[in-house]
Amino acid sequence: MLGKVLKYNRLRQQKRQEEVCEGICSVSYYSKIENDTANPSPEVLDMLMERLNINQQQIHLYDEKKLKEELHEWHRLIINGEVHNAEEKFVDLQQKVASLKRRKLSVLFELFFARMCLLINEGARAKEIIFQNENVIRDINDSELFFYFLKVKAAREYYINNYAIAGELLELAEGKIDIFIHPRFETTDLYYMAGLCASKLNNSTLAIYYLSQVVDAFDSSYDYIKSGDCRLHLGKAYKALKKFKEAEENYSLASRIASQLKDQKLEAEIKQLVGEMYSAMGRHKGAVHQYQLSYRLREKEERLVTICAILEELNYLGHKPEMVSWVEHGMEIIRNIRSERELSVKEKVSLHKLIYYQVLSDPSGEKDAGKVISHEVIPFFENMDLDGFLPKAAGELARYYEKSGDYQSSSLYYKKAMEALQYSTP
């Protein structure tokens, strides 16, 4: 780094290398110093600096600027998920930050390190780093540092599924974008996170606003993974707004990316989402076909979500015999999982959906649908409704009681369905 300072000042003073190093060192050695391929002794460096009228403050300012650039490059690797490269730079940067002893750079290093901890699934450590630096950042009272603090804190809240809090923090950070100069990828990262938060919170309009601003940036930088992710969330947002043409366009672009990347998991997710879109459009047979394509691309427990989606469409179409075989297949997957470990939250959701469709498709009629849905299914989804299934179950139960002449119970569950629907609608 010192070599570039020497070269910059030499050229600014319109001097040749021979003039600068005469009586101090050879021209060839000085050339290596300028190219940072040789480390001169302190005495030689002092003489060269004196000849070029360079003071120590200039060196420190250059070192600080250069190190800050390196920190941002490290942060870019972290944001892009390049774990190996980010970990390789960590030790080197840690030593440089410690030797330079600049408080602001030290805090910036800590914030970026917290983001790296999230990348490598060390959430507890990230939380600790954020907590330790919060008061320091407020004491320094630097808008730039506060911007990065808000970003990394938002990333941590997103990591633990606190999407609303993450969104609020990102909104505060957005208000500081124009206060200082920062790398373009930092803004792209902020908008990307804000778009994902909005998507998770079913705020479709806001999701489209943010993600539309960054998807082209990902395309131009050949970051096809994030580009594909953007297209998926844009598709979901447009579908929620019933803009099916725009949704289909984004799903189609995401599918092309999945093919280029040979990403079977992404392709399965796309087929699933296209199925959901077809269902919303009333194209239920088309939805079943897309879900079946998604099913073939998945394995083991990953198939549960698709099986439940197929069951929903078959139930709508009244294909009870087909439902029976799909329910049994789903229950078999559940039994296999339970033989090895406990069910995850999502797998428990799938289990209770399977129980629901099992009683609806029971050919013998032996199972009391009202009792099973009211005692097993609805209580579960009242406590853990991750995807708005409660209105569906409560509505089905209301219709069941209505058909049996129990209008009091029917009214109760219609009310519950309406309340749940209102709660789940953004």
Side-chain angles (χ1 to χ4, degrees):
M1 293 196 299
L2 293 173
K4 289 182 174 59
V5 177
L6 294 172
K7 185 175 183 177
Y8 169 77
N9 282 272
R10 177 178 66 79
L11 294 174
R12 190 165 63 91
Q13 296 172 33
Q14 297 183 341
K15 291 184 176 180
R16 292 178 291 109
Q17 290 184 340
E18 292 86 344
E19 295 177 71
V20 176
C21 67
E22 185 179 359
I24 300 174
C25 64
S26 68
V27 176
S28 60
Y29 184 67
Y30 177 75
S31 180
K32 290 180 180 179
I33 295 172
E34 280 197 353
N35 291 322
D36 286 321
T37 58
N39 294 314
S41 66
E43 294 79 10
V44 169
L45 183 60
D46 286 342
M47 286 188 285
L48 292 171
M49 287 171 59
E50 184 178 352
R51 186 157 294 176
L52 288 168
N53 297 314
I54 301 171
N55 56 44
Q56 285 294 331
Q57 186 178 7
Q58 286 177 275
I59 295 293
H60 288 315
L61 285 173
Y62 180 83
D63 284 350
E64 189 171 343
K65 180 184 176 183
K66 188 67 177 176
L67 182 53
K68 188 176 179 181
E69 288 174 357
E70 288 189 56
L71 286 172
H72 278 296
E73 173 57 21
W74 180 47
H75 195 216
R76 187 189 65 79
L77 294 173
I78 294 166
I79 288 170
N80 290 346
E82 298 180 38
V83 180
H84 178 71
N85 292 334
E87 288 180 330
E88 275 193 340
K89 289 186 74 69
F90 169 73
V91 175
D92 178 54
L93 286 171
Q94 188 179 42
Q95 293 172 348
K96 287 179 179 178
V97 168
S99 64
L100 197 57
K101 297 179 181 178
R102 290 291 186 273
R103 193 182 187 195
K104 181 176 175 178
L105 290 181
S106 295
V107 175
L108 196 62
F109 172 80
E110 288 288 310
L111 292 176
F112 293 168
F113 178 52
R115 185 77 180 266
M116 191 174 89
C117 289
L118 296 175
L119 177 63
I120 58 178
N121 291 318
E122 293 186 7
R125 192 171 185 185
K127 179 183 178 182
E128 183 182 353
I129 294 168
I130 292 167
F131 177 76
Q132 289 173 346
N133 284 278
E134 185 162 4
N135 289 332
V136 176
I137 290 166
R138 296 189 189 281
D139 288 343
I140 295 175
N141 193 26
D142 182 276
S143 294
E144 185 179 11
L145 271 185
F146 194 55
F147 169 81
Y148 290 113
F149 170 74
L150 290 169
K151 273 189 66 179
V152 73
K153 193 171 183 181
R156 193 257 166 184
E157 294 296 335
Y158 186 92
Y159 178 82
I160 58 174
N161 302 327
N162 286 340
Y163 305 120
I165 295 174
E168 291 170 5
L169 291 167
L170 291 168
E171 187 178 355
L172 289 173
E174 186 181 3
K176 298 186 177 296
I177 282 179
D178 297 326
I179 296 176
F180 59 93
I181 299 173
H182 54 270
R184 184 180 178 82
F185 71 82
E186 296 287 0
T187 303
T188 301
D189 177 54
L190 187 149
Y191 286 166
Y192 178 59
M193 285 198 292
L196 294 184
C197 285
S199 180
K200 294 289 187 181
L201 294 168
N202 296 320
N203 190 334
S204 303
T205 303
L206 196 61
I208 291 169
Y209 169 76
Y210 282 119
L211 295 176
S212 294
Q213 295 188 66
V214 299
V215 67
D216 289 338
F218 292 138
D219 287 341
S220 60
S221 63
Y222 305 105
D223 189 344
Y224 294 128
I225 293 175
K226 285 185 179 175
S227 175
D229 193 40
C230 275
R231 301 291 183 192
L232 283 185
H233 285 280
L234 282 168
K236 286 193 282 187
Y238 281 121
K239 173 239 171 186
L241 296 173
K242 300 191 184 303
K243 295 184 177 182
F244 299 121
K245 181 181 177 182
E246 291 86 347
E248 197 156 16
E249 286 174 356
N250 278 281
Y251 289 147
S252 177
L253 289 167
S255 184
R256 287 184 203 170
I257 291 169
S259 297
Q260 287 180 337
L261 297 175
K262 296 182 180 178
D263 189 334
Q264 188 168 304
K265 186 175 181 181
L266 177 60
E267 188 64 39
E269 180 67 14
I270 294 164
K271 299 297 184 189
Q272 183 81 18
L273 291 170
V274 172
E276 291 176 9
M277 181 182 68
Y278 283 175
S279 178
M281 295 168 71
R283 296 168 57 182
H284 299 286
K285 289 184 179 180
V288 171
H289 176 64
Q290 291 296 321
Y291 290 144
Q292 288 173 335
L293 293 175
S294 178
Y295 170 86
R296 291 167 193 161
L297 293 167
R298 299 175 187 266
E299 295 180 356
K300 298 179 181 178
E301 64 270 14
E302 292 178 358
R303 289 178 159 176
L304 286 171
V305 65
T306 306
I307 290 171
C308 290
I310 290 172
L311 284 166
E312 181 176 346
E313 299 307 310
L314 293 176
N315 183 53
Y316 183 89
L317 293 167
H319 295 178
K320 304 293 183 183
E322 289 181 60
M323 289 177 67
V324 174
S325 60
W326 279 106
V327 166
E328 179 52 37
H329 180 38
M331 287 299 191
E332 182 184 6
I333 294 173
I334 292 290
R335 287 192 292 271
N336 290 337
I337 296 170
R338 279 178 161 169
S339 68
E340 298 175 358
R341 57 172 173 80
E342 291 186 7
L343 298 179
S344 69
V345 171
K346 287 186 178 180
E347 288 158 358
K348 288 178 182 177
V349 169
S350 293
L351 169 61
H352 285 81
K353 286 184 179 181
L354 289 169
I355 292 170
Y356 170 79
Y357 289 118
Q358 188 175 49
V359 295
L360 293 185
S361 62
D362 181 17
S364 65
E366 293 178 358
K367 294 187 177 181
D368 186 337
K371 185 176 181 181
V372 173
I373 295 172
S374 62
H375 286 66
E376 293 186 55
V377 179
I378 285 182
F380 174 82
F381 285 105
E382 281 180 324
N383 295 320
M384 195 177 295
D385 194 12
L386 299 180
D387 56 2
F389 193 76
L390 180 57
K392 189 187 305 296
E396 184 68 37
L397 189 56
R399 289 187 290 275
Y400 171 85
Y401 283 126
E402 187 177 16
K403 288 178 182 177
S404 63
D406 187 347
Y407 299 113
Q408 185 176 356
S409 296
S410 175
S411 176
L412 172 68
Y413 282 102
Y414 270 129
K415 182 179 178 181
K416 190 182 289 290
M418 291 300 294
E419 289 174 349
L421 186 63
Q422 187 175 19
Y423 178 76
S424 63
T425 302

